[in-house]
Amino acid sequence: MTISTVPPDRNTSLSSMRYDPRLQVETRSDDLDLTSGLRLIRRRVVMIMAIVMLLMAVAATVISGLKPTYHAESRLIIHTPLATKLGTDESSRNDPLDATSETERLLSRSIAERVIRDLRLNEWPEFNPALQEISPIDKIRSMLRGWIDSEKPSLPIRDSIEPIIPKYYKALRVWRDGQGDVIQIGFDASDPELAASVPNRLISIYLEERKDSLRGRVDAAEEWLLLRIDEQMGRAKAARDAADVYQKTTDVVASNDDDQVEQIKSIMELGERRTKIEQSRAEARATITALEAADDPSLVLQNMVIPDSIGAMQRELRAQEQDLERLLETYGNTADAVVDTRAKILKSRTDLSLATDRYLQSIRAKLAALDHEDDAIRSALAAAHEKRTRSALAQTELARLQHMADKEQTALDKLEEQRRGLAAQAMLPGAELEVLSPAAVPLAPQGRGRLFYLIGALLASISIAVTAAFVVEMLDNSVRSFDQMAGMSRIVPAGFIPHLKRKDRRDPSMLFGSIQDGMFDEAIRSVMTSLKQSNGGKLPNTIVVTSAHSGEGKSFVARSLAIDLAANGIPVLLVDGDLRLGNLDSFFKSELKQGLNEFLCGQAGMRDIIHHHPSGIDFIPAGNASLHRRVRLTDAADIVAMAASQGQIVIFDSAPVLASADTMHLTALAERTLVVVKWGKTSRRAVEFCLHQLKTARNAEIAVAINNVNPNKHAMYNFSDSELFASSLRKYHEFT
């Protein structure tokens, strides 16, 4: 911006004073611009400090409510009882204890309830929500929840253990040390003695619970075994009774080897006797057959075993025959000795035949007796075999029944043995504990102190605040420099207008009085100089002052331009071109009733609407806003012509471009258009659209002035005109 301290001449060429903004040198994307970051922090230091203070207030409230936490820890190893490993039978040995399962037992609900009751954790506010004071955050959360949910939240019951259980488990930690069997039990509490009491008490309760659990299991198993034993005793007694009844009903001697031997011996004797009878029968049949078939029995008898009497008779006959042969050798057949011998031989043969017949009859009688005896022996042998078979079957069935009785008795003995084993196990502990290090009362609280958390909260708050500042800066698309409009064609930078205090903007006397010699007056002169430069070195006869939106200070700038021209002796006519919302009459406190609306509607003449202010400014108010729809803007050319004939510069305080189409009609009549952009508020997109609309109405260069500039904040940006504005400000302060 260029600040001139000499009042500009209306007809003097000021081409050398044209503002030409330098393009901002962009930083490469791979370079770290620390200066830009520091400037951003300087620009947003108020926001950063506010966020830091807000976050620190919340953090300080939370940290002040923190209580020191003490941590006590116990280390132990759980073993299987040694007595259970001393049995000689491998099947009687129990499986080794699983450290993971025992860890879960330490975390069981029953142990937790006993620890809470024994140590009275329900009397500690940190574990009993009913004893805790409701924090403001919880009250706000409950209130918000009440707006969403119509049901009222249930209040914690003072004597209930359910709300304490989650707090207890949150403070308790039970874990294994690596892959070993060492189990660690830790507990956090605000009281160091309580922190040490919980692990130690938990261990003792665990042993009691383990013993009671084992005892309960043993009792249940023993009860089941007793039922099984009663059932097995009934089955064993039934098996024994069945064997006894069978033995009595069948009259069988159970497993008597002597009786079996006697039966076998009797069968063998009967078999031998039958064999001898068969032999005797065969000999008798052979003898009978031989005697019946032979013509001379004496010859057959020579080869047989015969009785002694028959043998004597046969020997006597043989001797007589030998004597006859000797006599015949000596005597003849007629000799008396021969005849007598032959008579004796005949008699002997007759006697031998009779004896042989009697012998044959005796043999036949003997054969009949042998047949009868064979039948008797065969019957006896069959009876013996049948008896032997029945005895064997009875012995087999009896042996089966006795085996079943023995089997049931064996099962009963095993059950009795198991019951005795359970009784022995009931006397043993459920588990053996080796406490490596009991929980001791901690001497210092766990974790960091409040100062550490405050410092951490401060660093986190600063990080969040700086991040928020960067996000806000990234999302900020408002216009703060002409460098941001360098890509917009056919615009003329008219300079910066510093901001005034609100009371100065609202008090017209400040504009007409002492502030004219201030920095604001220099900025207004610079804008006027830029308008003159863009108009070929001469002040334009007609100027339209507008903006993209309302509230950007275009009316204030238009009135300041009029005051500046009047102060330099240049005739000026200020026209309120905002036909609906114009308030120029209230600014000059004229309380006029007619204005531009009445003139454009034909209800008033030109002289009726022009009013003169003591400061030398002629002005036309907006008039009745209700006549806006019936106006003819083409009649505004008469005002321009009239002012030109009187040598006045017409300044139209027009409506915002994006709020009314009247501005495009006025810019068609004016020589120059000045668009006022509010520093740090008007977006670049709104400026682009506004300029596009104005260029459509009139293809000419448009002057742009940035209003409400804070010099100190503007100097913190990395724009090319930041230092220019700051240096001008320093020179002005040195001059004043």
Side-chain angles (χ1 to χ4, degrees), residues 319-454:
Q320 289 176 357
E321 287 178 351
Q322 290 177 356
D323 290 341
L324 179 58
E325 289 178 358
R326 284 193 303 269
L327 288 176
L328 287 176
E329 291 177 356
T330 304
Y331 301 103
N333 292 328
T334 60
D336 292 332
V338 173
V339 174
D340 292 335
T341 303
R342 287 182 174 174
K344 292 180 180 179
I345 291 172
L346 181 59
K347 183 177 184 303
S348 297
R349 286 183 177 177
T350 302
D351 294 337
L352 181 59
S353 297
L354 292 173
T356 302
D357 292 337
R358 288 194 296 273
Y359 177 66
L360 182 59
Q361 291 177 357
S362 64
I363 291 176
R364 287 194 181 103
K366 181 179 179 182
L367 181 60
L370 288 174
D371 290 338
H372 180 71
E373 185 179 4
D374 182 64
D375 293 337
I377 290 174
R378 184 181 297 148
S379 299
L381 186 60
H385 278 293
E386 184 179 359
K387 183 179 180 181
R388 170 63 180 167
T389 302
R390 288 198 305 270
S391 177
L393 292 175
Q395 289 290 341
T396 302
E397 182 65 18
L398 182 61
R400 186 184 68 81
L401 294 176
Q402 289 178 347
H403 178 70
M404 290 180 61
D406 294 340
K407 183 178 180 181
E408 297 295 338
Q409 185 63 36
T410 302
L412 179 62
D413 294 340
K414 287 184 178 180
L415 291 176
E416 288 287 349
E417 184 179 358
Q418 290 180 357
R419 186 182 64 81
R420 290 191 295 271
L422 283 176
Q425 287 186 5
M427 301 174 63
L428 296 175
E432 291 182 354
L433 285 179
E434 181 182 354
V435 181
L436 302 178
S437 58
V441 178
L443 301 179
Q446 186 186 20
R448 308 286 184 177
R450 294 181 180 178
L451 179 60
F452 175 82
Y453 291 114
L454 284 174

Side-chain angles (χ1 to χ4, degrees), residues 502-638:
R502 182 171 298 181
K503 63 179 182 178
D504 295 337
R505 292 198 301 268
R506 292 180 178 179
D507 189 1
S509 62
M510 298 300 294
L511 293 176
F512 298 124
S514 59
I515 200 170
Q516 288 185 358
D517 294 331
M519 182 179 177
F520 178 80
D521 184 59
E522 294 297 326
I524 295 298
R525 291 178 182 178
S526 176
V527 172
M528 186 59 70
T529 302
S530 298
L531 291 174
K532 185 177 181 179
Q533 180 182 3
S534 65
N535 196 38
K538 297 181 181 181
L539 286 174
N541 294 323
T542 310
I543 303 172
V544 174
V545 181
T546 185
S547 62
H549 300 287
S550 61
E552 298 184 358
K554 52 94 181 174
S555 297
F556 186 73
V557 172
R559 296 162 190 173
S560 299
L561 290 174
I563 293 172
D564 181 73
L565 290 174
N568 288 280
I570 301 174
V572 60
L573 175 61
L574 180 60
V575 181
D576 194 347
D578 193 348
L579 301 178
R580 290 183 298 177
L581 302 175
N583 59 352
L584 187 60
D585 53 344
S586 62
F587 177 77
F588 287 102
K589 299 180 181 180
S590 62
E591 298 181 359
L592 300 174
K593 301 300 182 181
Q594 293 181 334
L596 185 61
N597 277 314
E598 285 78 5
F599 172 75
L600 296 178
C601 291
Q603 296 181 4
M606 186 177 300
R607 296 187 179 275
D608 297 333
I609 62 174
I610 299 176
H611 304 277
H612 184 75
H613 190 266
S615 62
I617 300 176
D618 292 338
F619 67 94
I620 300 176
N624 189 0
S626 61
L627 302 175
H628 168 260
R629 295 185 178 274
R630 294 182 289 172
V631 300
R632 298 186 302 273
L633 291 175
T634 56
D635 293 342
D638 296 338

Side-chain angles (χ1 to χ4, degrees), residues 147-166:
W147 291 349
I148 299 173
D149 191 0
S150 59
E151 297 182 1
K152 294 183 178 181
S154 58
L155 297 176
I157 303 175
R158 186 181 184 90
D159 298 332
S160 177
I161 200 174
E162 293 301 327
I164 306 175
I165 293 294

Side-chain angles (χ1 to χ4, degrees), residues 106-328:
L106 288 169
L107 294 171
S108 64
R109 172 66 180 257
S110 60
I111 294 179
E113 292 179 355
R114 288 191 58 183
V115 170
I116 292 173
R117 286 194 300 267
D118 293 350
L119 298 180
R120 298 180 179 179
L121 295 183
N122 58 335
E123 299 179 0
W124 293 82
E126 61 179 312
F127 297 104
N128 192 351
L131 302 179
Q132 297 176 357
E133 296 182 359
I134 302 177
S135 62
I137 298 177
D138 293 335
K139 292 180 180 179
I140 296 173
R141 187 185 298 116
S142 178
M143 182 178 63
L144 295 176
R145 188 183 295 112
W147 291 349
I148 299 173
D149 191 0
S150 59
E151 297 182 1
K152 294 183 178 181
S154 58
L155 297 176
I157 303 175
R158 186 181 184 90
D159 298 332
S160 177
I161 200 174
E162 293 301 327
I164 306 175
I165 293 294
K167 300 286 186 179
Y168 166 79
Y169 279 121
K170 185 177 180 180
L172 179 67
R173 186 185 176 197
V174 180
W175 74 99
R176 293 177 60 185
D177 189 3
Q179 298 297 327
D181 294 333
V182 178
I183 298 177
Q184 300 184 22
I185 304 174
F187 192 79
D188 298 333
S190 59
D191 184 77
E193 295 182 357
L194 179 62
S197 300
V198 171
N200 296 330
R201 182 56 184 161
L202 189 146
I203 292 173
S204 60
I205 292 176
Y206 163 76
L207 289 176
E208 296 175 6
E209 291 276 342
R210 196 75 170 85
K211 184 176 181 180
D212 294 341
S213 174
L214 180 61
R215 181 61 188 175
R217 292 170 56 194
V218 169
D219 292 341
E222 187 175 5
E223 183 179 357
W224 179 81
L225 280 176
L226 289 176
L227 294 176
R228 290 289 308 277
I229 288 173
D230 292 340
E231 295 175 358
Q232 190 63 33
M233 288 179 66
R235 287 195 291 268
K237 185 176 181 303
R240 287 195 300 269
D241 293 343
D244 294 340
V245 170
Y246 182 81
Q247 186 175 2
K248 290 179 180 179
T249 55
T250 56
D251 195 16
V252 178
V253 179
S255 301
N256 195 337
D257 295 338
D258 295 338
D259 293 342
Q260 294 181 1
V261 170
E262 289 296 333
Q263 290 177 1
I264 295 173
K265 184 177 180 181
S266 175
I267 292 173
M268 292 178 63
E269 289 178 353
L270 289 175
E272 290 177 357
R273 287 182 61 190
R274 187 181 177 190
T275 301
K276 290 179 180 180
I277 290 172
E278 288 292 334
Q279 292 177 357
S280 298
R281 289 174 63 188
E283 291 176 357
R285 288 192 184 94
T287 300
I288 292 171
T289 302
L291 291 175
E292 289 178 350
D295 295 333
D296 188 0
S298 60
L299 297 176
V300 177
L301 293 174
Q302 292 179 2
N303 299 323
M304 296 181 182
V305 179
I306 55 177
D308 293 340
S309 60
I310 296 176
M313 293 176 67
Q314 188 175 3
R315 286 192 300 272
E316 184 179 0
L317 178 58
R318 189 175 296 112
Q320 289 176 357
E321 287 178 351
Q322 290 177 356
D323 290 341
L324 179 58
E325 289 178 358
R326 284 193 303 269
L327 288 176
L328 287 176

